[in-house]
Amino acid sequence: MAETTLTHTDQAPRPEGWQGIAADWASDQRAFKNVSWGKAMMWIFLLSDTFIFGCFLLSYMTARISTRVPWPNPSEVFALRIGGSEIPLILIAIMTFVLISSSGTMAMAVNFGYRRDRRKTAILMLLTAALGATFVGMQAFEWTKLITEGVRPWGNPWGAAQFGSSFFMITGFHGTHVTIGVIFLIIIARKVWRGDFDTGRPGFFTSRRGRYENVEIMGLYWHFVDLVWVFIFAFFYLW
């Protein structure tokens, strides 16, 4: 028997009504066309994470607007004494600069990844991880400073009790994301450096040869973490 191939015009017609809607959502024929499952799943994860961070920020704004007790002044709470004088938000400004800079190094790593430049890709990913670890270290210093000054999830010396719980919840959740990102940056950078994406060496994230797209997927996650910090910085530290 002669074999027949199914062309675009030979495809079965789209069902009508609810069956057609179900058929659209049940396959990737139209949705996510020409997009790998890894990248599609990362976008879906980031979308769900956006809802979580959005709920946290909305809850924070609701608590701040509804409380009758004065809210602590961020310029005073997050000031750092340097040379005998209090400098407001200096540590937060440095943390923001470090994290935004890491977004630039991650973008360059993705660029060199698609050029198959293993050395530059791995170095830039490790540099991104180092900047991320620096951010987490400064955040740990910030937490230690505030805890020493009496900030707790249930109260603080400066005003509304909701300040402590909002601060630890939002910054802690974001810091956890940064920490996870640093770990996976190191893992992917090690695989790039060893040439796992060129040889197709078996293992996590390297099942097929030439899968430098994993570097881009890691970049999507990292850019999202940086973008979330911009909103936290604007709503929590500047407002």
Side-chain angles (χ1 to χ4, degrees), residues 96-110:
T96 304
F97 175 77
V98 168
L99 201 60
I100 297 301
S101 299
S102 71
S103 189
T105 56
M106 187 70 239
M108 289 190 289
V110 173

Side-chain angles (χ1 to χ4, degrees), residues 53-69 71 160-163 165-166 169-170 235-236 239:
F53 276 108
C55 290
F56 282 172
L57 290 175
L58 286 174
S59 299
Y60 156 72
M61 288 186 285
T62 302
R64 181 166 180 175
I65 293 172
S66 61
T67 182
R68 296 183 179 180
V69 182
W71 197 263
Q162 297 93 327
F163 172 82
S165 58
S166 300
M169 177 182 66
I170 294 174
F235 285 101
F236 204 95
W239 182 17

Side-chain angles (χ1 to χ4, degrees), residues 143-159:
W143 275 42
T144 304
K145 175 179 177 293
L146 293 181
I147 292 173
T148 303
E149 293 173 351
V151 179
R152 300 292 186 272
W154 53 85
N156 65 87
W158 302 292

Side-chain angles (χ1 to χ4, degrees), residues 75-212:
S75 297
E76 298 176 0
V77 175
F78 301 106
L80 198 62
R81 178 174 292 276
I82 300 177
S85 59
E86 296 283 342
I87 303 179
L89 299 175
I90 180 63
L91 179 63
I92 312 304
I94 297 174
M95 291 169 60
T96 304
F97 175 77
V98 168
L99 201 60
I100 297 301
S101 299
S102 71
S103 189
T105 56
M106 187 70 239
M108 289 190 289
V110 173
N111 187 1
F112 283 111
Y114 277 110
R115 296 182 186 182
R116 302 294 193 271
D117 192 329
R118 290 193 293 128
R119 182 174 179 273
K120 291 181 180 179
T121 302
I123 290 175
L124 286 167
M125 293 189 73
L126 291 175
L127 179 58
T128 303
L131 291 172
T134 302
F135 174 88
V136 174
M138 288 189 290
Q139 192 173 64
F141 171 81
E142 177 191 36
W143 275 42
T144 304
K145 175 179 177 293
L146 293 181
I147 292 173
T148 303
E149 293 173 351
V151 179
R152 300 292 186 272
W154 53 85
N156 65 87
W158 302 292
Q162 297 93 327
F163 172 82
S165 58
S166 300
F167 170 77
F168 289 123
M169 177 182 66
I170 294 174
T171 60
F173 193 63
H174 178 265
T176 302
H177 279 68
V178 177
T179 303
I180 294 173
V182 168
I183 294 173
F184 275 92
L185 279 169
I186 296 173
I187 292 174
I188 300 297
R190 179 172 178 267
K191 289 180 176 293
V192 171
W193 186 269
R194 293 192 311 181
D196 291 0
F197 294 116
D198 295 320
T199 61
R201 180 175 179 174
F204 292 109
F205 315 114
T206 53
S207 57
R208 284 189 290 173
R209 184 177 299 178
R211 292 284 293 183
Y212 276 89

